[in-house]
Amino acid sequence: MGDELSIQTTSSERHRQALELLFAALPTSERVAQMATTMAAVRHGRLSLDGLLEARRGDTTVGVVWASVMGGRAALVWPAQLSAGEPEETVASLYEELASWMRQRDVQVANAFLADDHSAEARRMIAAGFTRVAEILYLVSERSTFPDAQLATPLKFETFSEEKQDRLADIIERTYEGTLDCPALDGHRDIADVLNGYRETGTYDPNRWFFVRQDDQDIGCLLLADHPAENQWELIYQGIIPQARGKGFGLAMTRHAQWLTGQADRARLVLAVDAENRPAIAAYTAAGFHQWDRRYVYVKLLQTT
């Protein structure tokens, strides 16, 4: 191939060129939008390009990969891309260097979301030690589907506060028992990391997090976040302990989330759900949600020192 391969952090003056290669496989309109969104987020401090790595031969960028560190010792990975004619071995070198970069920053879980489960990107990620753990459906409900009033239900919704973190951690761990949402990840993350990741989703406000109670007992939780720029709320997580499942509480909790979203004057409520979680999907469908996208989740667990 001529010049010797080197892999390094992308300098600021090369950010745009590296991102153009990273997004090159996207359709034109999507590529332009992705570039604009990414650069705007970087300018406003919402994203960092510190984990944007490039493979170079001389002064030519021949490959690129990107990891963005999130809360809860997790990172979001954008799949590696190569320039035309560059050998596949360069991808392996990029992912190896990226894994080292993430470990140095105490990342324990690397996540990637792919549109195509049979793509070159998917094959490359598997070769780099990633595992496909789930197919995720993205659902949305519009304001027209929200309840006009708070619905009558045997459930009580108690607002979370930071001094109740241990209690919330306990109830979340109980809701993970027998979960149908990404069960392959169960037990691989510390609950404190999980909660920190939830806090960094959208705009965090403890007044949008709730203990769900029945007969003075915690039976689940409901965690919501605001996304002001998109004029929407997100249902980050809703869980029910095994003993309280099958009683229609999931639908009641979802309808309450919609009502709260309407009270906040947001246009829509969005969420992500494992495609295998049929009970949850049935509840969301009954509440007026519909699918707008899907992704395949690939995960790599990293050992840090």
Side-chain angles (χ1 to χ4, degrees):
M1 290 295 297
D3 293 323
E4 182 178 351
L5 182 73
S6 65
I7 296 177
Q8 55 201 267
T9 301
T10 307
S11 60
S12 58
E13 61 269 17
R14 298 175 68 93
H15 280 168
R16 179 169 290 278
Q17 178 184 355
L19 289 173
E20 286 174 350
L21 177 55
L22 191 70
F23 303 147
L26 297 175
T28 302
S29 60
E30 188 176 343
R31 183 172 67 252
V32 171
Q34 184 65 58
M35 177 67 78
T37 299
T38 300
M39 296 305 292
V42 170
R43 285 195 303 272
H44 290 92
R46 297 192 301 270
L47 272 180
S48 169
L49 295 179
D50 290 349
L52 182 63
L53 306 183
E54 63 175 337
R56 295 174 62 183
R57 295 188 185 276
D59 293 329
T60 303
T61 299
V62 296
V64 63
V65 68
W66 179 29
S68 177
V69 177
M70 305 182 296
R73 293 194 288 183
L76 179 63
V77 174
W78 193 284
Q81 297 292 334
L82 298 177
S83 60
E86 182 65 21
E88 285 293 317
E89 289 81 0
T90 298
V91 168
S93 298
L94 278 165
Y95 277 125
E96 182 178 354
E97 186 65 27
L98 186 70
S100 176
W101 183 91
M102 290 188 290
R103 289 189 184 98
Q104 291 171 15
R105 286 149 184 82
D106 198 31
V107 171
Q108 293 195 339
V109 181
N111 305 282
F113 297 82
L114 304 185
D116 186 349
D117 197 30
H118 302 284
S119 63
E121 288 84 358
R123 295 191 297 273
R124 290 166 174 171
M125 299 203 92
I126 290 172
F130 285 77
T131 301
R132 179 192 184 279
V133 298
E135 177 186 359
I136 295 295
L137 308 182
Y138 294 92
L139 309 183
V140 59
S141 64
E142 308 293 344
R143 192 197 305 268
S144 60
T145 67
F146 297 169
D148 295 327
Q150 189 170 6
L151 301 179
T153 171
L155 302 178
K156 304 297 183 184
F157 296 87
E158 177 187 335
T159 305
F160 168 74
S161 58
E162 291 298 334
E163 63 269 18
K164 301 175 183 176
Q165 173 156 314
D166 289 346
R167 177 181 161 197
L168 181 60
D170 176 70
I171 193 65
I172 288 178
E173 288 192 308
R174 292 170 63 193
T175 68
Y176 284 169
E177 297 174 17
T179 182
L180 297 177
D181 265 324
C182 300
L185 293 180
D186 190 30
H188 288 291
R189 296 189 68 195
D190 185 88
I191 190 63
D193 290 338
V194 172
L195 286 172
N196 287 334
Y198 289 158
R199 284 187 181 90
E200 292 206 8
T201 301
T203 301
Y204 167 67
D205 184 339
N207 293 314
R208 290 190 280 265
W209 287 19
F210 303 92
F211 297 98
V212 182
R213 296 171 61 80
Q214 182 198 26
D215 297 332
D216 297 322
Q217 299 291 323
D218 291 340
I219 60 97
C221 60
L222 175 65
L223 311 181
L224 301 159
D226 189 19
H227 294 270
E230 291 77 26
N231 192 24
Q232 65 191 26
W233 272 23
E234 179 179 356
L235 197 165
I236 307 170
Y237 181 72
Q238 122 175 336
I240 302 172
I241 64 174
Q243 302 92 315
R245 292 171 187 162
K247 301 179 180 180
F249 293 157
L251 177 58
M253 293 161 64
T254 302
R255 297 297 277 166
H256 187 71
Q258 290 174 308
W259 179 74
L260 290 171
T261 305
Q263 292 301 295
D265 199 29
R266 292 301 186 216
R268 65 192 67 84
L269 178 63
V270 299
L271 60 87
V273 61
D274 193 315
E276 297 300 317
N277 193 345
R278 300 301 176 187
I281 292 171
Y284 296 141
T285 301
F289 281 80
H290 64 271
Q291 180 181 325
W292 63 273
D293 202 358
R294 74 171 63 212
R295 287 290 186 271
Y296 299 94
V297 184
Y298 285 75
V299 168
K300 182 172 183 175
L301 302 176
L302 300 167
Q303 298 295 323
T304 58
T305 56

